[in-house]
Amino acid sequence: GDSGVRAPHLYDGCGSGKGSGKVARLRKMIYGLPESGRRFSEVVMKFFDSLKKDGSSRVRSVVSDRMAYVWRWIDPVTGKEEVLRAALHVDDFLVSVSSPAIKAEFERRMASYFGEGRVTGGEPVTYHLGMRIERDRAKKTVKISQGGFVRKLLEDFGVQEGVKVKDSPLQGGVHLRKAPAGSEPVDHVNYMKLVGSLQWMAITCRPDVSFAAGLLGRYSQCPTDEHWKQAKWCLQYLAGTADLGITYHGSDEVLMDGYDHRNKLIAGVDSDLGGCHDTQKSTSGAVVMLNGGAVFFKSRRQSTLSSSTTEAETKAGVII
């Protein structure tokens, strides 16, 4: 059909259909355009640069992520340095603060920079990127989980929560292999949908399914009945652990059990030896804990062969 802008009362001189040779000039970035995210990031960077101008602030972006910022501000009332940490995803800020004062100052400066009425939120977050955030101030815990996402996934694949549940993400002793040459894939699209969902959970708050997601993902091009059997086993495991997540602690009762765990990174690595029966390569596993909860976790097949368990575990440590 016809294209072009058909609103001459809004766009002077534009809008006479396809092939007219006339276009409308975009004066403001529209949400959803491919370059919108980048342009918004540039605006945010300029905003944080503006926080430095009063002489009582220091701002830096985190080395590992340019869209994560740390703002240090001197409270003029108390003379104390307060800290705000902000992470940006698309057009949403997730902020943690050291005091109500710096939160109020941050909101005031955002409203001043972007315009009154254009800044919303400010309440304690309960959901972010599909993750549920639960706080128990009496126990000093924060938990992140994806129960809603898991239940939707179970519904999509016809698995009933709490019925015929499994106690592990994969069946014990299973050895998956590539399909023989010339094999036809079994329900290829749904298999990829399931594996993609498992991988999303594995990078957010379900380290327990990281290995299963990686292993099942290796066979996405041509899944067989055996691959599907293990994928459904993982679904039945999720049917019994829908609300499982990561809990971070702040109480001495937990963090002082045996020795002081407070604000300390505790890392662990492991590896199987030649666990991949197609390539004979090892699969690495690594996790870094902080205050009782995982802040980094990964499972990945190594790129080279290992000749001993020591070598395999050394390579596993390199991925941290």
Side-chain angles (χ1 to χ4, degrees):
D2 293 337
S3 62
V5 178
R6 291 188 174 275
H9 61 289
L10 296 177
Y11 302 93
D12 185 30
C14 295
S16 54
K18 186 176 182 180
S20 67
K22 298 180 180 179
V23 296
R25 181 180 179 184
L26 187 66
R27 301 195 177 197
K28 182 182 292 186
M29 192 57 59
I30 298 175
Y31 189 92
L33 291 178
E35 63 269 33
S36 296
R38 174 58 180 162
R39 293 296 300 272
F40 184 71
S41 297
E42 292 174 351
V43 172
V44 170
M45 292 171 67
K46 291 178 181 178
F47 164 68
F48 275 97
D49 283 340
S50 73
L51 298 180
K52 306 175 185 178
K53 295 180 180 179
D54 65 356
S56 64
S57 301
R58 291 180 292 144
V59 178
R60 66 177 179 86
S61 59
V62 178
V63 173
S64 59
D65 190 339
R66 292 187 64 188
M67 289 295 101
Y69 295 88
V70 179
W71 179 39
R72 299 182 182 275
W73 170 72
I74 304 298
D75 187 338
V77 176
T78 64
K80 180 182 176 182
E81 182 180 76
E82 304 291 353
V83 181
L84 177 144
R85 293 176 173 85
L88 174 69
H89 180 77
V90 187
D91 60 348
D92 292 325
F93 279 99
L94 185 65
V95 173
S96 67
V97 297
S98 60
S99 73
I102 193 171
K103 175 178 178 292
E105 180 66 12
F106 184 72
E107 291 174 345
R108 184 191 69 78
R109 296 198 188 196
M110 285 194 75
S112 175
Y113 190 90
F114 293 105
E116 293 288 345
R118 301 190 66 189
V119 179
T120 60
E123 300 300 320
V125 63
T126 54
Y127 280 90
H128 187 66
L129 300 181
M131 293 182 289
R132 183 181 182 186
I133 303 174
E134 301 173 83
R135 302 172 184 81
D136 188 326
R137 300 194 182 279
K139 294 182 180 180
K140 297 183 179 180
T141 62
V142 175
K143 178 184 176 182
I144 55 175
S145 60
Q146 282 191 305
F149 183 85
V150 172
R151 291 183 176 91
K152 180 62 168 61
L153 184 64
L154 296 176
E155 179 184 346
D156 289 346
F157 285 90
V159 177
Q160 188 174 350
E161 184 179 358
V163 177
K164 296 182 180 180
V165 300
K166 306 298 185 182
D167 58 3
S168 62
L170 291 174
Q171 187 176 4
V174 65
H175 300 296
L176 297 181
R177 296 180 181 274
K178 288 183 178 179
S183 299
E184 290 293 326
V186 178
D187 203 357
H188 189 205
V189 174
N190 278 324
Y191 186 86
M192 289 196 297
K193 176 183 176 181
L194 174 54
V195 168
S197 298
L198 293 175
Q199 290 176 341
W200 167 246
M201 288 187 283
I203 64 172
T204 51
C205 58
R206 292 298 298 258
D208 54 322
V209 302
S210 292
F211 176 76
L215 179 63
L216 294 171
R218 297 173 194 172
Y219 308 102
S220 295
Q221 292 301 313
C222 190
T224 65
D225 286 330
E226 182 59 27
H227 301 139
W228 258 114
K229 178 182 176 181
Q230 294 307 314
K232 291 176 180 177
W233 183 288
C234 191
L235 276 173
Q236 290 174 320
Y237 168 74
L238 293 173
T241 60
D243 292 312
L244 191 64
I246 302 174
T247 301
Y248 302 98
H249 297 266
S251 67
D252 289 344
E253 181 181 357
V254 174
L255 300 179
M256 297 294 288
D257 184 17
Y259 65 97
D260 188 358
H261 291 180
R262 289 175 300 184
N263 300 325
K264 293 180 179 178
L265 294 174
I266 302 173
V269 298
D270 201 359
S271 178
D272 60 8
L273 180 59
C276 178
H277 287 258
D278 292 313
T279 65
Q280 305 305 311
K281 293 178 180 178
S282 303
T283 298
S284 306
V287 61
V288 179
M289 306 285 287
L290 177 65
N291 292 339
V295 294
F296 170 89
F297 43 91
K298 195 166 189 177
S299 175
R300 186 178 66 184
R301 186 172 57 186
Q302 295 178 4
S303 58
T304 57
L305 295 175
S306 301
S307 59
S308 68
T309 54
T310 300
E311 181 183 355
E313 290 175 0
T314 300
K315 290 178 180 177
V318 172
I319 73 173
I320 295 181

